[in-house]
Amino acid sequence: MSAHHAPDWVPHREGTGIKDNGIFATWLSLISFTFFLATFVAANVYLRGWAPDKFTVDFGPNADLPAITTIILLVAGLLLLLAASFFRSKAMGKFNIMMVLSTLAITAYAVMQIWLLFYTHEQGEHAWTTHMGIYFLQLALSLVCIGFMMAIGKYYSERNIKALNRLVPAALSVFLYTVATGVLTLVLTDMISVGEFAEWCGTRIMELVQ
């Protein structure tokens, strides 16, 4: 009796485990979330292009908020990349420090999203339509990140390396996704542009120097 082998295009399961399945499931979830978020972003871009006077949100005296939010995200992204590097090299002490700092940065980002939600709510129905859904989804992502960070902190305090090895790769995927989509959303919704951000940073640096 001849043995039947699966075709080459069928994924082989040898060597996979709970960590691999967790990462795969995480990325499937993020891909699904991307399509969901993209719907709101596309609506934002379309409506602002169709009636810019009506659907563009003016931050007025709070014009620095988009740039501050961008800085928080970039700092969080840098800290998370360092944390991932330390985790890969098994430098758990440095990894823990980076995760604590990352938690503070992501928490600050969540606070910014809450503030933006309240500010947008005060702007009226046009702002609710174009911006509120986006801010809510970004807030939800940041809260998920904080939840992951709390779980990582718990396992680290228990020195549960096995659990950390399963959780950290998937969690870092969510963290970096949150940072990337946060910055991209800021740009696509015209809250800030690369030129405006560079100009804002230059202005603030000159103020500090003087």
Side-chain angles (χ1 to χ4, degrees), residues 197-210:
F197 180 66
E199 181 181 356
W200 185 89
C201 290
T203 302
R204 295 299 174 271
I205 291 173
M206 290 301 296
E207 290 176 353
L208 291 174
V209 171
Q210 294 175 355

Side-chain angles (χ1 to χ4, degrees), residues 145-158 163-164 167:
C145 289
I146 293 172
F148 271 127
M149 289 170 170
M150 292 174 64
I152 290 173
K154 176 180 180 296
Y155 289 138
Y156 181 84
S157 64
E158 296 172 352
L164 285 174
L167 177 62

Side-chain angles (χ1 to χ4, degrees), residues 2 4 13 20-21 23 26 31 34 38 50 53 59 70 72 99 105 116 138 143 157 168 176:
S2 61
H4 295 281
R13 302 297 299 169
D20 306 279
N21 292 335
I23 295 173
T26 299
I31 291 171
T34 300
W50 175 58
D53 295 337
F59 286 92
T70 304
I72 291 173
M99 288 307 300
L116 286 169
Q138 294 291 348
L143 293 178
S157 64
V168 170
L176 294 174

Side-chain angles (χ1 to χ4, degrees), residues 57-69 112 115-116 119-120 122-123 191 200 204:
V57 174
D58 182 12
F59 286 92
N62 301 300
D64 289 344
L65 281 176
I68 294 173
T69 304
M112 295 295 291
W115 190 96
L116 286 169
Y119 181 82
T120 304
E122 295 173 355
Q123 297 298 304
M191 286 182 63
W200 185 89
R204 295 299 174 271

Side-chain angles (χ1 to χ4, degrees), residues 4-28:
H4 295 281
H5 297 283
D8 293 337
W9 51 266
V10 175
H12 296 284
R13 302 297 299 169
E14 292 87 350
T16 61
I18 188 170
K19 182 176 75 172
D20 306 279
N21 292 335
I23 295 173
F24 181 65
T26 299
W27 277 107
L28 283 181

Side-chain angles (χ1 to χ4, degrees), residues 88-140:
R88 181 180 292 273
S89 62
K90 306 299 182 183
M92 299 306 292
K94 294 179 180 178
F95 166 75
N96 185 50
I97 293 173
M98 290 300 105
M99 288 307 300
V100 170
L101 295 175
S102 299
T103 301
L104 294 175
I106 292 295
T107 302
Y109 175 62
V111 171
M112 295 295 291
Q113 294 303 311
I114 293 172
W115 190 96
L116 286 169
L117 278 171
F118 280 107
Y119 181 82
T120 304
H121 183 268
E122 295 173 355
Q123 297 298 304
E125 295 180 357
H126 68 287
W128 303 352
T129 304
T130 54
H131 290 75
M132 207 162 184
I134 295 173
Y135 296 151
F136 179 79
L137 292 176
Q138 294 291 348
L139 173 62

